[in-house]
């Protein structure tokens, strides 16, 4: 109860109409329902010799004792509910009882229940009703005030939520703008990582799928970047792919760079135990999306340029118009007007994309400008200066590992029309190398000696007759029977007539080799023991293998 309010302790019981001044002195200054009901109860006792049986207040559309310290009287509450909280009620011992509703504008805000040993006069009842009306108005004001306080609290809470949402929107808009501006600026991964570092205040790193560092922004970059083992890296990427958000790994918060279904790398905040808030996490997640766009763009550009280069290589090797070839090469920033050489590489892994890229790196390490492509299972490089065979083989072997088998280097190309012939000669050099006693290595067409003379004779049209003279019967027999007697004879002669070495090279039994050699002698009529005959047959088989390698 407010300290300034007049209470029943200040009044003496009186009757009407002398009670009106007393009623006027009863003021409801407090907006607390308990204070209002206390003033009403004491005022009723001051206006009429009675006792207060109970006081109630309406809370959440339900009447409850107020103050709640009053003793619960279920029989009284039940009687009040039946009487709709107003009018005459029955009290124990037959005393007079009345429920005065504390209402305001037809809204029930409480109830004052009084009892007396004698029935009050109409004037006393009138005074009590007026007191109830004033108490009802006070309770209505209290209810309004409480509602306003509640609304103010809700408004303050809503304003706080709105302020946080506005701040979050501003920070996320800033993240969008900075990262998208970095993407549009064309500064690549480093530009995006620098922007992410400015947004978060943390060091940022980007790794490829193998764990190699691609970009770093901020302090603390390791002098030697640690690289995980392949099995550990694969397990780490799998664990990241199963999580919806960032995953902590040591001092880093990591997110996959995965624009579609393919994993392109990992971006991480290096927080070193510092707290990372939601805005930083949003910047990290959105940064991974922007990095995914950049990496996909780089890959698409690389694949497009690679396809254009391979198409140009294919056309040059097949024969194409000169001016068109120069224009296409210039668009690819390759100077085709310099002398070139065709290099063909036979590797155990074939001519897949990884092998072609590795061969290109080998050429670049030798300071050779190149165009790369494939011809069947062979890797093809068009290099702009003559490579040293041994150095080229060593560089390619380092890139391809132990899979490198042999390399053939063709003739010089001064104009685009020279490339088809250079390819043919490079293939012949490669074939000679593959069928030599030392197949691993590089052979230059113009260093083939005897084979170079064979090619010149073949170009002049005088070598075919020589081959037919010595091997014609075997060639025809092989063609008709599907056998390989010429091939068998070639290996036998290359091995110097040694049965064991020849059989091992042909992967056949000695008796099979003996039978084939007997069949060769029968078909040709030649004595394989004759020195001159063996010399001419050896030369003819080498010519045959050299010429068939170019087809």
């Amino acid at each position: 109860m407010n300290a300034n309010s007049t209470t029943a302790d200040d009044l003496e019981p009186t009757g009407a109409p002398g009670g009106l001044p007393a009623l006027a002195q009863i003021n409801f200054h407090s907006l607390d329902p308990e204070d209002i009901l206390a003033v009403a109860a004491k005022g009723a006792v001051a206006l009429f010799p009675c006792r207060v049986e109970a006081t109630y207040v309406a809370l959440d559309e339900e009447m409850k004792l107020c103050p709640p310290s009053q003793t619960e009287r279920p029989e009284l509450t039940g009687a009040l509910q039946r009487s709709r909280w107003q009018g005459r009620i029955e009290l124990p011992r037959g005393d007079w009882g009345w429920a005065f509703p504390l209402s305001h504008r037809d809204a029930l805000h409480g109830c004052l229940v009084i009892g007396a040993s004698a029935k009050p006069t109409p004037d006393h009842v009138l005074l009590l009703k007026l007191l109830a009306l004033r108490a009802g108005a006070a309770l209505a004001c209290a209810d309004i005030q409480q509602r306003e306080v509640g609304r103010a609290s809700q408004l303050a809470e809503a304003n706080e939520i709105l302020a946080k949402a506005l701040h979050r929107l501003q920070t996320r808009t800033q993240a969008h703008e900075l990262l998208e501006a970095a993407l549009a600026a064309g500064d690549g991964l480093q530009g995006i990582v620098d922007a992410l570092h400015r947004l978060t205040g943390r060091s940022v790193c980007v790794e490829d799928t193998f764990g190699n560092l691609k970009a770093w922004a901020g302090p603390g970059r390791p002098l030697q970047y640690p690289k995980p083992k392949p099995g550990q890296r694969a397990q780490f990427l799998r664990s990241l792919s199963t999580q919806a958000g960032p995953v902590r790994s040591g001092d880093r918060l990591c997110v996959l760079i995965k624009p579609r279904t393919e994993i392109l790398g990992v971006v991480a905040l290096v927080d070193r135990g510092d707290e990372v808030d939601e805005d930083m996490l949003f910047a990290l997640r959105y940064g991974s999306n922007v990095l995914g766009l950049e990496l996909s763009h780089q890959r698409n550009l690389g694949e497009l340029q690679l396809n254009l280069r391979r198409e140009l290589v294919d056309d040059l090797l097949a024969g194409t118009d000169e001016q068109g070839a120069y224009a296409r090469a210039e668009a690819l920033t390759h100077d085709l007007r310099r002398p070139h050489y065709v290099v063909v590489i036979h590797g155990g892994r074939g001519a897949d994309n990884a092998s072609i890229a590795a061969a290109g790196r080998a050429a670049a390490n030798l300071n050779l400008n190149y165009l790369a492509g494939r011809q069947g299972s062979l890797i093809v490089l068009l290099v702009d200066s003559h490579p040293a065979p041994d150095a080229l083989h060593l560089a390619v072997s380092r890139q391809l590992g132990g899979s490198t088998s042999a390399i053939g280097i063709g003739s010089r190309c001064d104009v685009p029309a020279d490339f088809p012939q250079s390819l043919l000669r490079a293939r012949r050099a490669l074939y000679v190398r593959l069928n030599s006693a030392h197949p691993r290595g590089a052979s230059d067409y113009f260093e083939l000696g005897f084979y170079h003379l064979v090619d010149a004779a073949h170009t002049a049209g005088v070598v075919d007759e020589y081959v037919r003279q010595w091997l014609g019967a075997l060639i025809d027999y092989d063609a008709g029977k599907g056998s390989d007697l010429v091939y068998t004879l070639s290996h036998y002669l290359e091995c110097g007539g040694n049965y064991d070495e020849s059989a091992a090279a042909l992967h056949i039994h000695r008796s099979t080799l003996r039978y084939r050699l007997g069949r060769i002698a029968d078909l040709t009529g030649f004595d394989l023991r004759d020195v001159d005959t063996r010399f001419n047959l050896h030369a003819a088989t080498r010519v045959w293998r050299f010429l068939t390698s170019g087809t």
Side-chain angles (χ1 to χ4, degrees), residues 236 247-254 268-274 276:
F236 175 63
V247 174
R248 179 169 290 280
S249 176
D251 62 351
R252 301 183 182 188
L253 280 174
C254 306
L269 290 184
V270 185
D271 62 9
R272 307 194 185 283
D274 298 334
V276 177

Side-chain angles (χ1 to χ4, degrees), residues 424 428 451-464 467 543 546-548 551:
L424 181 63
R428 287 177 177 170
Y451 295 104
H452 187 196
L453 295 177
V454 170
D455 188 53
H458 176 66
T459 304
V462 297
V463 76
D464 296 326
V467 173
V543 170
F546 177 72
L547 295 180
T548 55
T551 59

